[in-house]
Amino acid sequence: MMAALLMMGSAAFAGGGFDIAIGPKIGYQTAKLSYDRATIKSDFSNHFTAGLFGRVTFGRVYVQPEALWFKTSNVFSTSLTETGNGIWADIPTGANVNLTLNATNIQVPVLVGLRLLDLDLICLRAQVGPTANFVIQSKTLVDYTIDGNASKLDNVPSNESFDPKTITWGLQAGVGVDLLKRITLDINYNFGLSKVFNTLNDTAIGEAFDFGNADDTKQNLFMVTVGLKLL
């Protein structure tokens, strides 16, 4: 990201007039925006996001690359209509089965924006751009409920795990505010263009269970972040 900023800065310098900024940012992801303090606190605790951003501004136009770390959790549910094989035979017929796929991600958006209002106290922005999402670690968990009693299946072997794609693509669009030219607030919506996980029903786990929502793994969510310009 630093190399990209320096290249853009050099190009802008050759054309005359630019501003460059780099800094950290933190925030959270959420499926639905809310002004409720308790909901925001819960989202921040459970869906924490941290990373770095940079910005090169040319007049009213800017380019803002970011690198953001966060965790995601996809849950797939089904009912077991017949006894499975191997370790799945431990789950009784009629159980409600949940498969949870946890992943640690690095997302790299590159946003192009426009400063709609630019004052010393406040700057209002709008932005859009592509995102690349890298899954750097994943884990599969299985639990089930039968007659109101919950149990966890701890011996899921690694060769039964459902591996995510290494990289997926998306599109972000949103708005941002700068306060005192130092503090940034961005609210972006990420439209998932490709699935994080391949077709679950084609895996060993999918052969044992019929997960009806197995293909619903695109990352569609809001990203709310606050940053600080260090430069």
Side-chain angles (χ1 to χ4, degrees):
M1 187 170 70
M2 285 292 296
L5 286 173
L6 290 174
M7 291 176 63
M8 288 185 291
S10 298
F13 181 78
F18 75 101
D19 179 68
I20 187 170
I22 299 174
K25 61 166 40 186
I26 61 172
Y28 63 91
Q29 317 139 49
T30 181
K32 184 178 180 181
L33 290 177
S34 174
Y35 296 103
D36 180 69
R37 181 177 299 181
T39 302
I40 293 174
K41 183 177 180 180
S42 175
D43 284 335
F44 191 83
S45 294
N46 298 320
H47 306 287
F48 178 74
T49 300
L52 298 171
F53 77 99
R55 188 187 300 167
V56 176
T57 304
F58 318 84
R60 296 180 60 189
V61 178
Y62 63 89
V63 178
Q64 180 170 303
E66 302 177 358
L68 303 171
W69 172 95
F70 60 93
K71 292 184 177 181
T72 54
S73 181
N74 294 83
V75 180
F76 306 95
S77 302
T78 189
S79 294
L80 192 62
T81 57
E82 60 183 35
T83 303
N85 299 319
I87 63 170
W88 313 120
D90 296 337
I91 303 178
T93 302
N96 295 316
V97 182
N98 293 314
L99 171 65
T100 304
L101 304 173
N102 295 321
T104 302
N105 308 264
I106 297 291
Q107 188 178 83
V108 182
V110 180
L111 304 172
V112 177
L114 178 67
R115 297 193 294 185
L116 305 175
L117 176 66
D118 192 7
L119 305 175
D120 290 337
L121 179 63
I122 187 172
C123 174
L124 178 63
R125 302 176 279 106
Q127 56 204 13
V128 65
T131 66
N133 191 83
F134 302 88
V135 176
I136 58 177
Q137 187 179 19
S138 62
K139 185 177 182 179
T140 304
L141 303 172
V142 176
D143 62 80
Y144 62 91
T145 303
I146 183 72
D147 296 329
N149 298 313
S151 299
K152 182 182 293 185
L153 199 64
D154 295 320
N155 58 337
V156 181
S158 58
N159 62 353
E160 295 280 359
S161 297
F162 181 47
D163 295 326
K165 295 180 180 179
T166 303
I167 181 173
T168 58
W169 300 96
L171 178 69
Q172 277 193 17
V175 295
V177 176
D178 295 341
L179 299 175
L180 301 174
K181 298 187 180 295
R182 298 284 290 180
I183 301 172
T184 70
L185 170 64
D186 290 278
I187 302 176
N188 295 318
Y189 188 77
N190 188 88
F191 300 89
L193 300 180
S194 54
K195 301 171 185 175
V196 176
F197 297 94
N198 293 308
T199 302
L200 180 57
N201 286 326
D202 290 341
T203 66
I205 294 177
E207 291 176 358
F209 309 114
D210 181 17
F211 294 98
N213 58 341
D215 292 332
D216 187 21
T217 64
K218 293 182 179 180
Q219 297 286 15
N220 297 316
L221 46 83
F222 287 97
M223 192 84 74
V224 181
T225 56
V226 176
L228 177 64
K229 294 181 183 180
L230 299 180
L231 293 178

